[in-house]
Amino acid sequence: AKVLGGNAEEAEAAVTAMVDEFGSLSVVSLETSVSLGKLVASSGLTGANAAKLLKSMDAISSASIETNIALIKSTEELARAEGVAPGQVLNDIAENTELFAQFGKDGGKNIAAAAIQARKLGLNLGTVAGIAESLLDFESSIEKQLEAQVLLGRSLNLDKARELSLSGDLEGLQKEILSQVGSQAEFEAMNVVQRKALADAIGTTVTDLGKMVAGERTSAQLAKDREKSQEQMNL
């Protein structure tokens, strides 16, 4: 890790935490130790969280530790490609073990995609989990949706959002929520009561709802900038 420009102490912490998380020295081969050192050096993932994340992945998949490390590396690369800090994304995933256990599938690829989308919107997985759990409290969620429709004076359809929550597609859930909220101009035109009702219906706070709307605009601009840059490189 030190050779690669990372923190040797974090690499050591990763190895130690692996023993604590898995309860056995057998998981820490020389190959695994080297891979962990490279991972914490490049990604910004803390040593303790690297072990915690690998344990969460192991709980929902039969893949080897090396395979799971490779999946974390691919998440790191995808985060960079999407213009968000890999360390923030990976540490966010590691610190939400309950969400990972509840919604994780395909080795956790859906959680990785959700964490990247959340970071693009200025949120974290804790906020996304709160939205999903609120929507899955069907009776209360439908009641709040109907109240919001009256106050907003327009239809609000959260059926697709509930379906996505149930299937564990938390990336798609965030995008669906944004489609229901509308543009930033529409959000800014709402009064205090309307914003609060809409946030309650979705299962989040007005503050986080505002972040989502503003983050969507920022993400859209970043995507346009990347597309423009790629076009110039191809000329």
Side-chain angles (χ1 to χ4, degrees):
K2 192 171 183 179
V3 169
L4 294 171
N7 187 319
E9 291 180 358
E10 287 296 346
E12 182 180 351
V15 173
T16 303
M18 284 290 288
V19 177
D20 291 339
E21 290 287 344
F22 285 83
S24 173
L25 284 168
S26 63
V27 299
V28 191
S29 65
L30 177 59
E31 183 181 14
T32 299
S33 297
V34 171
S35 296
L36 282 170
K38 291 178 179 179
L39 179 64
V40 298
S42 66
S43 68
L45 185 62
T46 68
N49 278 345
K52 189 184 297 184
L53 179 52
L54 285 167
K55 181 60 176 177
S56 293
M57 296 171 78
D58 183 70
I60 66 165
S61 168
S62 59
S64 68
I65 290 175
E66 284 294 329
T67 297
N68 286 334
I69 289 176
L71 179 55
I72 294 173
K73 290 290 293 180
S74 69
T75 301
E76 175 191 349
E77 293 165 5
L78 182 58
R80 283 202 177 92
E82 292 293 330
V84 295
Q88 291 181 332
V89 169
L90 293 173
N91 284 306
D92 187 22
I93 298 171
E95 290 162 6
N96 282 277
T97 54
E98 183 63 23
L99 177 142
F100 202 105
Q102 285 184 313
F103 296 99
K105 58 183 182 180
D106 297 328
K109 290 180 182 179
N110 64 318
I111 303 299
I116 291 172
Q117 176 66 17
R119 187 58 56 180
K120 287 165 65 176
L121 298 177
L123 304 175
N124 57 43
L125 283 176
T127 300
V128 178
I131 292 172
E133 290 170 4
S134 177
L135 289 170
L136 291 176
D137 183 358
F138 297 114
E139 185 176 346
S140 175
S141 177
I142 292 171
E143 182 180 337
K144 291 175 181 177
Q145 175 184 328
L146 294 174
E147 291 175 1
Q149 287 182 158
V150 172
L151 291 168
L152 292 170
R154 66 174 174 86
S155 176
L156 184 65
N157 189 346
L158 298 176
D159 289 345
K160 182 65 175 178
R162 294 187 188 96
E163 180 184 329
L164 292 167
S165 297
L166 194 59
S167 68
D169 185 355
L170 302 184
E171 178 191 18
L173 167 63
Q174 295 173 76
K175 294 178 178 179
E176 176 62 20
I177 290 297
L178 285 168
S179 74
Q180 293 296 317
V181 172
S183 67
Q184 184 166 23
E186 290 173 309
F187 180 73
E188 290 175 352
M190 296 177 194
N191 61 38
V192 175
V193 175
Q194 289 173 323
R195 292 181 188 181
K196 181 66 167 60
L198 181 57
D200 286 345
I202 290 168
T204 189
T205 65
V206 176
T207 299
D208 283 337
L209 186 58
K211 287 180 182 179
M212 291 179 74
V213 175
E216 172 67 5
R217 181 188 61 178
T218 303
S219 296
Q221 185 58 53
L222 285 173
K224 288 181 181 178
D225 291 343
R226 285 197 297 270
E227 185 178 339
K228 184 177 180 181
S229 177
Q230 187 63 45
E231 289 176 352
Q232 290 175 341
M233 290 175 63
N234 292 336
L235 291 177

